Amino acid sequence: MIEAKEWLEDDKVQIVKASNLKTFYREAGDPQKPALILFHGFPSASHMFRDLIPELVDQFYLIAPDYPGFGQSEAPDSRNFTYTFDHLAEIMEHFLEQLGIKNFYMYVFDYGAPIGFRIAVKHPDWIKGIISQNGNVYQEGLGEKWAARKNFWDSPTPEKRESYRSTFAPETIINQYKYGTLEGSVSPDGYMLDIAYTHSKGYADRQLDLIFDYQNNIRLYPVFQNYLKEYQPKLLAVWGKNDPSFIYPGAEAFKKDDPKTQVALLDSGHFALESHAKVIAQLIKGYFC
């Protein structure tokens, strides 16, 4: 059941019910302009786009949702809700249908890539173009840490699952933001809010479920690549080249399947928006406007 939109007064933030879940999103710009959907990553939420949105609001109608279990969206108990990327993508699909948005550009980062590309595969006619910022869909883009995750996926044990709680430790999140960036280029705003969200009820269990399910994203890489080969959307692969999780050969790999790919490698890390929002905005405008 999908209910009507509830507007929150005074702020450019809204809530809809999609798949019977309250879904929080940020909205900016003129709805008559081309829509750009901003799909966030882990462990963040729509606030990661706080510096990018003002840079693009003159050219796009911007929508940045929080997935279920992230940010300000509803977070069902993992005992009663399936936290998989298939399910999150399905809810984001319903979210877009609820807003009546079926023709848009999409910005995908980290977890946003497997979510956004699932939607693109199912609805290729919806996609006007793609910005992939450290949003990997190639084996070439997987850094060294993924070997340890494969061991967990191939031989899961309660002990291995528990070991991934360190992923939510404050020092891990801060390092994820700062690694590979120039000193002083990353403000604490983003990572401190992410850390605050880790204290929400049931956070670890739902995130551990998604870490285990990530293996299914990698299995879908050939499907995502076939989509690119067949439809060849205009694609900007803009990458923090010092990212140890999704390494920059993943950006270059898009060119194998999509000749309409432009690659930009930035001297930053995984959260390249934290240090290069203005640069990324100019790249987007230069390629899509």
Side-chain angles (χ1 to χ4, degrees), residues 5 11 28 40 47 60 70 109-110 129 146 166 194 199 226 230 259:
K5 183 164 22 177
D11 296 313
H40 68 80
H47 64 270
F60 295 96
F70 289 80
F109 164 72
D110 188 71
W146 296 98
S166 63
D194 287 351
H199 297 288
N226 286 337
E230 181 174 357

PDB file of all heavy atoms in Angstrom, residues 5 11 28 40 47 60 70 109-110 129 146 166 194 199 226 230 259:
ATOM      1  N   LYS A   5       1.659  11.733  -0.119  1.00  0.00           N
ATOM      2  CA  LYS A   5       2.838  12.442   0.384  1.00  0.00           C
ATOM      3  C   LYS A   5       2.493  13.298   1.602  1.00  0.00           C
ATOM      4  O   LYS A   5       1.458  13.915   1.670  1.00  0.00           O
ATOM      5  CB  LYS A   5       3.387  13.313  -0.742  1.00  0.00           C
ATOM      6  CG  LYS A   5       4.639  14.043  -0.397  1.00  0.00           C
ATOM      7  CD  LYS A   5       5.391  14.600  -1.580  1.00  0.00           C
ATOM      8  CE  LYS A   5       4.690  14.843  -2.836  1.00  0.00           C
ATOM      9  NZ  LYS A   5       5.519  15.441  -3.873  1.00  0.00           N
ATOM     10  N   ASP A  11      11.137  23.173   5.753  1.00  0.00           N
ATOM     11  CA  ASP A  11      12.384  22.609   5.274  1.00  0.00           C
ATOM     12  C   ASP A  11      12.175  21.903   3.945  1.00  0.00           C
ATOM     13  O   ASP A  11      11.083  21.431   3.648  1.00  0.00           O
ATOM     14  CB  ASP A  11      12.963  21.608   6.284  1.00  0.00           C
ATOM     15  CG  ASP A  11      13.334  22.271   7.591  1.00  0.00           C
ATOM     16  OD1 ASP A  11      13.971  23.323   7.537  1.00  0.00           O
ATOM     17  OD2 ASP A  11      12.971  21.733   8.635  1.00  0.00           O
ATOM     18  N   ALA A  28      15.200  19.496  -3.958  1.00  0.00           N
ATOM     19  CA  ALA A  28      15.634  20.851  -4.276  1.00  0.00           C
ATOM     20  C   ALA A  28      15.481  21.085  -5.773  1.00  0.00           C
ATOM     21  O   ALA A  28      15.644  20.161  -6.585  1.00  0.00           O
ATOM     22  CB  ALA A  28      17.084  21.069  -3.862  1.00  0.00           C
ATOM     23  N   HIS A  40      22.636   7.314  -2.118  1.00  0.00           N
ATOM     24  CA  HIS A  40      23.764   7.397  -1.179  1.00  0.00           C
ATOM     25  C   HIS A  40      24.443   6.048  -0.953  1.00  0.00           C
ATOM     26  O   HIS A  40      24.013   5.006  -1.450  1.00  0.00           O
ATOM     27  CB  HIS A  40      23.291   7.986   0.150  1.00  0.00           C
ATOM     28  CG  HIS A  40      22.362   7.102   0.940  1.00  0.00           C
ATOM     29  ND1 HIS A  40      22.804   6.052   1.708  1.00  0.00           N
ATOM     30  CD2 HIS A  40      21.004   7.126   1.093  1.00  0.00           C
ATOM     31  CE1 HIS A  40      21.774   5.471   2.303  1.00  0.00           C
ATOM     32  NE2 HIS A  40      20.667   6.098   1.941  1.00  0.00           N
ATOM     33  N   HIS A  47      22.311  12.995   3.628  1.00  0.00           N
ATOM     34  CA  HIS A  47      23.090  14.166   4.037  1.00  0.00           C
ATOM     35  C   HIS A  47      24.451  14.223   3.344  1.00  0.00           C
ATOM     36  O   HIS A  47      25.098  15.274   3.331  1.00  0.00           O
ATOM     37  CB  HIS A  47      23.272  14.211   5.555  1.00  0.00           C
ATOM     38  CG  HIS A  47      24.062  13.078   6.109  1.00  0.00           C
ATOM     39  ND1 HIS A  47      23.472  11.890   6.516  1.00  0.00           N
ATOM     40  CD2 HIS A  47      25.391  12.924   6.342  1.00  0.00           C
ATOM     41  CE1 HIS A  47      24.399  11.074   6.976  1.00  0.00           C
ATOM     42  NE2 HIS A  47      25.568  11.673   6.877  1.00  0.00           N
ATOM     43  N   PHE A  60      19.134  21.136 -12.219  1.00  0.00           N
ATOM     44  CA  PHE A  60      18.419  19.877 -12.024  1.00  0.00           C
ATOM     45  C   PHE A  60      17.354  20.004 -10.944  1.00  0.00           C
ATOM     46  O   PHE A  60      17.423  20.870 -10.068  1.00  0.00           O
ATOM     47  CB  PHE A  60      19.386  18.765 -11.600  1.00  0.00           C
ATOM     48  CG  PHE A  60      20.415  18.396 -12.628  1.00  0.00           C
ATOM     49  CD1 PHE A  60      21.682  18.946 -12.578  1.00  0.00           C
ATOM     50  CD2 PHE A  60      20.115  17.490 -13.637  1.00  0.00           C
ATOM     51  CE1 PHE A  60      22.648  18.608 -13.522  1.00  0.00           C
ATOM     52  CE2 PHE A  60      21.061  17.148 -14.587  1.00  0.00           C
ATOM     53  CZ  PHE A  60      22.334  17.699 -14.530  1.00  0.00           C
ATOM     54  N   PHE A  70      18.367   3.441   7.015  1.00  0.00           N
ATOM     55  CA  PHE A  70      19.423   4.440   6.916  1.00  0.00           C
ATOM     56  C   PHE A  70      18.849   5.819   7.227  1.00  0.00           C
ATOM     57  O   PHE A  70      17.690   6.112   6.920  1.00  0.00           O
ATOM     58  CB  PHE A  70      20.021   4.471   5.512  1.00  0.00           C
ATOM     59  CG  PHE A  70      20.863   3.290   5.145  1.00  0.00           C
ATOM     60  CD1 PHE A  70      20.263   2.102   4.748  1.00  0.00           C
ATOM     61  CD2 PHE A  70      22.253   3.356   5.176  1.00  0.00           C
ATOM     62  CE1 PHE A  70      21.022   1.006   4.383  1.00  0.00           C
ATOM     63  CE2 PHE A  70      23.020   2.261   4.821  1.00  0.00           C
ATOM     64  CZ  PHE A  70      22.411   1.078   4.428  1.00  0.00           C
ATOM     65  N   PHE A 109      26.578   6.065  -5.663  1.00  0.00           N
ATOM     66  CA  PHE A 109      27.810   6.007  -4.876  1.00  0.00           C
ATOM     67  C   PHE A 109      27.755   4.779  -3.985  1.00  0.00           C
ATOM     68  O   PHE A 109      26.757   4.534  -3.301  1.00  0.00           O
ATOM     69  CB  PHE A 109      27.939   7.274  -4.010  1.00  0.00           C
ATOM     70  CG  PHE A 109      28.944   7.151  -2.894  1.00  0.00           C
ATOM     71  CD1 PHE A 109      30.300   7.128  -3.170  1.00  0.00           C
ATOM     72  CD2 PHE A 109      28.538   7.048  -1.567  1.00  0.00           C
ATOM     73  CE1 PHE A 109      31.233   7.005  -2.146  1.00  0.00           C
ATOM     74  CE2 PHE A 109      29.463   6.920  -0.540  1.00  0.00           C
ATOM     75  CZ  PHE A 109      30.818   6.901  -0.826  1.00  0.00           C
ATOM     76  N   ASP A 110      28.834   3.969  -3.990  1.00  0.00           N
ATOM     77  CA  ASP A 110      28.959   2.858  -3.039  1.00  0.00           C
ATOM     78  C   ASP A 110      27.709   1.975  -3.092  1.00  0.00           C
ATOM     79  O   ASP A 110      27.376   1.425  -4.157  1.00  0.00           O
ATOM     80  CB  ASP A 110      29.230   3.456  -1.653  1.00  0.00           C
ATOM     81  CG  ASP A 110      29.569   2.433  -0.586  1.00  0.00           C
ATOM     82  OD1 ASP A 110      30.678   1.877  -0.654  1.00  0.00           O
ATOM     83  OD2 ASP A 110      28.729   2.200   0.293  1.00  0.00           O
ATOM     84  N   GLY A 129      20.881   9.204 -17.902  1.00  0.00           N
ATOM     85  CA  GLY A 129      22.323   9.203 -17.790  1.00  0.00           C
ATOM     86  C   GLY A 129      22.724   8.835 -16.373  1.00  0.00           C
ATOM     87  O   GLY A 129      21.891   8.828 -15.462  1.00  0.00           O
ATOM     88  N   TRP A 146      38.051  -7.141  -0.185  1.00  0.00           N
ATOM     89  CA  TRP A 146      36.972  -8.007  -0.654  1.00  0.00           C
ATOM     90  C   TRP A 146      37.354  -9.481  -0.624  1.00  0.00           C
ATOM     91  O   TRP A 146      36.482 -10.350  -0.617  1.00  0.00           O
ATOM     92  CB  TRP A 146      36.517  -7.557  -2.040  1.00  0.00           C
ATOM     93  CG  TRP A 146      35.942  -6.178  -1.972  1.00  0.00           C
ATOM     94  CD1 TRP A 146      36.563  -5.008  -2.268  1.00  0.00           C
ATOM     95  CD2 TRP A 146      34.646  -5.822  -1.485  1.00  0.00           C
ATOM     96  NE1 TRP A 146      35.738  -3.941  -2.023  1.00  0.00           N
ATOM     97  CE2 TRP A 146      34.554  -4.410  -1.546  1.00  0.00           C
ATOM     98  CE3 TRP A 146      33.548  -6.560  -1.024  1.00  0.00           C
ATOM     99  CZ2 TRP A 146      33.402  -3.724  -1.149  1.00  0.00           C
ATOM    100  CZ3 TRP A 146      32.411  -5.867  -0.637  1.00  0.00           C
ATOM    101  CH2 TRP A 146      32.350  -4.469  -0.700  1.00  0.00           C
ATOM    102  N   SER A 166      33.179  -4.199  13.699  1.00  0.00           N
ATOM    103  CA  SER A 166      34.222  -3.171  13.684  1.00  0.00           C
ATOM    104  C   SER A 166      34.010  -2.174  12.551  1.00  0.00           C
ATOM    105  O   SER A 166      34.526  -1.046  12.591  1.00  0.00           O
ATOM    106  CB  SER A 166      35.603  -3.823  13.540  1.00  0.00           C
ATOM    107  OG  SER A 166      35.705  -4.501  12.288  1.00  0.00           O
ATOM    108  N   ASP A 194      27.034  10.172  10.642  1.00  0.00           N
ATOM    109  CA  ASP A 194      27.036   8.724  10.394  1.00  0.00           C
ATOM    110  C   ASP A 194      27.271   7.950  11.686  1.00  0.00           C
ATOM    111  O   ASP A 194      26.615   6.933  11.947  1.00  0.00           O
ATOM    112  CB  ASP A 194      28.122   8.350   9.377  1.00  0.00           C
ATOM    113  CG  ASP A 194      27.769   8.768   7.961  1.00  0.00           C
ATOM    114  OD1 ASP A 194      26.619   9.185   7.734  1.00  0.00           O
ATOM    115  OD2 ASP A 194      28.647   8.671   7.084  1.00  0.00           O
ATOM    116  N   HIS A 199      24.126   4.381  16.493  1.00  0.00           N
ATOM    117  CA  HIS A 199      23.559   4.118  17.820  1.00  0.00           C
ATOM    118  C   HIS A 199      22.050   3.883  17.783  1.00  0.00           C
ATOM    119  O   HIS A 199      21.440   3.651  18.827  1.00  0.00           O
ATOM    120  CB  HIS A 199      23.878   5.286  18.762  1.00  0.00           C
ATOM    121  CG  HIS A 199      25.345   5.470  19.002  1.00  0.00           C
ATOM    122  ND1 HIS A 199      26.098   4.601  19.766  1.00  0.00           N
ATOM    123  CD2 HIS A 199      26.209   6.420  18.543  1.00  0.00           C
ATOM    124  CE1 HIS A 199      27.353   5.007  19.787  1.00  0.00           C
ATOM    125  NE2 HIS A 199      27.444   6.104  19.050  1.00  0.00           N
ATOM    126  N   ASN A 226      25.954  -5.972 -18.951  1.00  0.00           N
ATOM    127  CA  ASN A 226      25.150  -6.203 -20.160  1.00  0.00           C
ATOM    128  C   ASN A 226      24.190  -5.046 -20.411  1.00  0.00           C
ATOM    129  O   ASN A 226      23.939  -4.678 -21.562  1.00  0.00           O
ATOM    130  CB  ASN A 226      24.385  -7.525 -20.055  1.00  0.00           C
ATOM    131  CG  ASN A 226      25.279  -8.734 -20.244  1.00  0.00           C
ATOM    132  OD1 ASN A 226      26.349  -8.641 -20.859  1.00  0.00           O
ATOM    133  ND2 ASN A 226      24.866  -9.878 -19.713  1.00  0.00           N
ATOM    134  N   GLU A 230      24.173  -2.886 -23.865  1.00  0.00           N
ATOM    135  CA  GLU A 230      22.983  -2.806 -24.701  1.00  0.00           C
ATOM    136  C   GLU A 230      22.459  -1.384 -24.846  1.00  0.00           C
ATOM    137  O   GLU A 230      22.106  -0.958 -25.954  1.00  0.00           O
ATOM    138  CB  GLU A 230      21.883  -3.700 -24.135  1.00  0.00           C
ATOM    139  CG  GLU A 230      20.614  -3.695 -24.972  1.00  0.00           C
ATOM    140  CD  GLU A 230      19.562  -4.679 -24.498  1.00  0.00           C
ATOM    141  OE1 GLU A 230      19.834  -5.436 -23.530  1.00  0.00           O
ATOM    142  OE2 GLU A 230      18.474  -4.703 -25.104  1.00  0.00           O
ATOM    143  N   PRO A 259      30.720   3.100 -24.607  1.00  0.00           N
ATOM    144  CA  PRO A 259      31.589   4.088 -25.254  1.00  0.00           C
ATOM    145  C   PRO A 259      31.234   5.530 -24.908  1.00  0.00           C
ATOM    146  O   PRO A 259      32.015   6.437 -25.197  1.00  0.00           O
ATOM    147  CB  PRO A 259      31.375   3.822 -26.744  1.00  0.00           C
ATOM    148  CG  PRO A 259      30.043   3.150 -26.840  1.00  0.00           C
ATOM    149  CD  PRO A 259      29.902   2.347 -25.591  1.00  0.00           C
TER     150      PRO A 259
END
